[in-house]
Amino acid sequence: MSTSNVLAEREQIVAAADRLFYTHGIQAVGIDRVRTASGVSLKKLYSLFPSKDALLVAVLRHRTGEWDAGIAEAAAQATDAREKILAIYDFLNEWFRQDDFRGCAFINSFGELGAVSPNVATVARDQKVTFQRYVANLVDEAGAPASLAPQLAILAEGAQTTAAISGTPDAAAHARAAAVVLIDAALSS
Amino acid sequence: MSTSNVLAEREQIVAAADRLFYTHGIQAVGIDRVRTASGVSLKKLYSLFPSKDALLVAVLRHRTGEWDAGIAEAAAQATDAREKILAIYDFLNEWFRQDDFRGCAFINSFGELGAVSPNVATVARDQKVTFQRYVANLVDEAGAPASLAPQLAILAEGAQTTAAISGTPDAAAHARAAAVVLIDAALSS
DNA sequence: TTTCGTAGAGAACGTGCGTTCTCTCGGCTA
DNA sequence: TAGCCGAGAGAACGCACGTTCTCTACGAAA
């Protein structure tokens, strides 16, 4: 029951909260529901996460890790920077087609609590900035001008909200096609 | 006290709720705060809007009208379809730089209540679909292939979330630059 | 075996909010 | 002038949720 068990419990709670928050929204899910789903006592839950806000921050940080890993895995099969960039949109394409897809958790959380919880706003912004840097590195590696990077990042963001609200997973393919045009135009100049 | 006054009261309530919801988030603002801000009795408020959900729908429909008007006004000065498309991003650019900008109200509302309120999800989707059609018409008018339209719409969506979360109003300029490349590439093929 | 500490289970508390109810007052009618 | 209708003001209600408190029971140490 030592450290490893505590970590396992943390992960269980975070995983349960993540699923519930993402599916139903944050304020629509009570702490007690998280407790039931994670099968842990309320006391333990509050000893690990002193508030719902802290739990939410942990959930979002966990999502950041999963997102980074997913992007990296998608890029692993690519050989050059251009393909690694396009792998982002392929990754999005698969994600959008999952049954439980309900948009970007960071965008949703920011929309729901960004004005009320500075912590949530910070975590969401951190995730976006990290992604923008990732894209910027690949653009640099591809030898394209730096101005291309924010354009590609905007395409990825727009695909997520479009897929979520309009319910069109094709948004990933559209974003990918646009990215191809933008990259090739940038490289040929 | 007759019809015109009721309309004025409706507008007052909607305007007050819009500002409060957009600034602080929907669930963070109580009905009583809306009542105070609009200076109307609770009874009248509930006689005009039978529930908070109905009020929110009215607010979002009102926002749809304002968005359409803003886009139309920006396009009014343009001479051809290409410039009308680019006027969208100029409109976004001005909007992002306003002090009270806090992202797209439809994206925020959808993230907060889309999973809980079907009405909110519908209104948000309607707005996005209407905008997509608007872009599609301009793309058609410009003589570009239809596949360009969703790409331009995705750029606009992505610019909004990027500007909101990352706090970078430049997203509008980046999206505009990308749009220029995409349009010209589509027209020259 | 007894005692002490700890952790689990959930009751309880305070608060806030959406919604409804009640009371009162002002104006119109006979 | 007396009675009635409608609307405004806000008190009240019921509920849900975040957080804390209490009680119980079990296991380890002496």
Side-chain angles (χ1 to χ4, degrees), chain A residues 29-31 42-43 46 51-52:
Chain A
V29 172
I31 286 283
L42 211 54
K43 196 173 196 173
Y46 268 92
S51 69
K52 192 181 185 182

Side-chain angles (χ1 to χ4, degrees), chain B residues 84-131:
Chain B
K84 282 182 185 172
I85 292 173
L86 294 180
I88 295 170
Y89 305 98
D90 296 331
F91 171 73
L92 291 180
N93 185 53
E94 287 186 21
W95 182 32
F96 294 172
R97 289 183 150 72
Q98 290 179 11
D99 287 342
D100 59 352
F101 173 71
R102 230 183 63 73
C104 170
F106 301 95
I107 296 173
N108 292 347
S109 302
F110 183 86
E112 184 168 353
L113 292 172
V116 144
S117 164
N119 294 327
V120 171
T122 299
V123 179
R125 186 169 51 244
D126 285 355
Q127 197 269 339
K128 296 305 176 194
V129 169
T130 301
F131 175 66

Side-chain angles (χ1 to χ4, degrees), chain A:
Chain A
M1 62 174 59
S2 54
T3 314
S4 69
N5 216 327
V6 168
L7 286 183
E9 273 168 341
R10 273 189 74 99
E11 281 179 22
Q12 270 186 354
I13 296 170
V14 167
D18 187 14
R19 187 169 39 79
L20 288 171
F21 288 168
Y22 182 67
T23 306
H24 303 100
I26 296 150
Q27 311 202 60
V29 172
I31 286 283
D32 203 62
R33 207 158 156 201
V34 174
R35 190 203 62 78
T36 302
S38 59
V40 100
S41 82
L42 211 54
K43 196 173 196 173
K44 171 135 282 182
L45 201 161
Y46 268 92
S47 76
L48 293 173
F49 305 98
S51 69
K52 192 181 185 182
D53 197 68
L55 173 58
L56 176 57
V57 167
V59 165
L60 291 179
R61 295 230 178 270
H62 177 251
R63 278 244 161 195
T64 300
E66 282 195 336
W67 167 273
D68 292 346
I71 292 284
E73 187 187 1
Q77 316 200 6
T79 58
D80 61 348
R82 184 178 178 279
E83 283 189 11
K84 282 182 186 172
I85 292 173
L86 295 180
I88 295 170
Y89 305 98
D90 296 331
F91 172 73
L92 291 179
N93 186 52
E94 286 186 20
W95 182 32
F96 293 172
R97 289 184 149 72
Q98 290 180 11
D99 288 341
D100 58 353
F101 173 71
R102 231 183 62 74
C104 171
F106 300 95
I107 296 173
N108 292 347
S109 301
F110 183 86
E112 185 168 354
L113 294 171
V116 145
S117 163
N119 294 325
V120 171
T122 300
V123 179
R125 185 169 52 242
D126 285 355
Q127 198 268 340
K128 296 305 176 195
V129 168
T130 303
F131 175 67
Q132 287 158 13
R133 267 203 287 260
Y134 174 77
V135 175
N137 284 337
L138 288 180
V139 164
D140 186 60
E141 193 181 326
S147 61
L148 176 62
Q151 301 178 11
L152 296 175
I154 286 172
L155 278 175
E157 300 296 342
Q160 290 175 64
T161 65
T162 300
I165 300 188
S166 304
T168 52
D170 295 341
H174 294 140
R176 190 189 197 278
V180 167
V181 173
L182 292 177
I183 296 170
D184 291 348
L187 287 179
S188 71
S189 69

Side-chain angles (χ1 to χ4, degrees), chain B:
Chain B
M1 57 184 62
S2 55
T3 312
S4 69
N5 218 326
V6 168
L7 285 183
E9 273 169 342
R10 273 190 74 100
E11 280 178 23
Q12 270 187 353
I13 296 170
V14 166
D18 186 16
R19 186 169 39 80
L20 288 171
F21 289 167
Y22 182 68
T23 307
H24 303 99
I26 297 150
Q27 311 203 57
V29 172
I31 285 284
D32 203 62
R33 208 158 153 201
V34 174
R35 190 202 62 78
T36 303
S38 58
V40 100
S41 82
L42 212 53
K43 196 172 196 174
K44 170 134 282 182
L45 202 162
Y46 268 92
S47 76
L48 293 174
F49 305 99
S51 69
K52 192 181 185 181
D53 196 68
L55 173 59
L56 176 57
V57 167
V59 165
L60 291 179
R61 294 229 178 272
H62 177 251
R63 278 243 162 195
T64 301
E66 282 196 336
W67 167 272
D68 292 347
I71 292 284
E73 187 187 1
Q77 317 201 4
T79 58
D80 61 349
R82 183 178 179 279
E83 283 189 12
K84 282 182 185 172
I85 292 173
L86 294 180
I88 295 170
Y89 305 98
D90 296 331
F91 171 73
L92 291 180
N93 185 53
E94 287 186 21
W95 182 32
F96 294 172
R97 289 183 150 72
Q98 290 179 11
D99 287 342
D100 59 352
F101 173 71
R102 230 183 63 73
C104 170
F106 301 95
I107 296 173
N108 292 347
S109 302
F110 183 86
E112 184 168 353
L113 292 172
V116 144
S117 164
N119 294 327
V120 171
T122 299
V123 179
R125 186 169 51 244
D126 285 355
Q127 197 269 339
K128 296 305 176 194
V129 169
T130 301
F131 175 66
Q132 287 159 14
R133 267 204 286 263
Y134 174 77
V135 175
N137 283 338
L138 288 181
V139 165
D140 186 60
E141 193 179 328
S147 61
L148 176 62
Q151 301 178 11
L152 296 176
I154 286 172
L155 277 177
E157 299 295 342
Q160 290 174 65
T161 65
T162 300
I165 300 188
S166 303
T168 52
D170 295 341
H174 295 139
R176 190 190 198 279
V180 167
V181 173
L182 292 177
I183 294 171
D184 290 349
L187 287 180
S188 71
S189 68

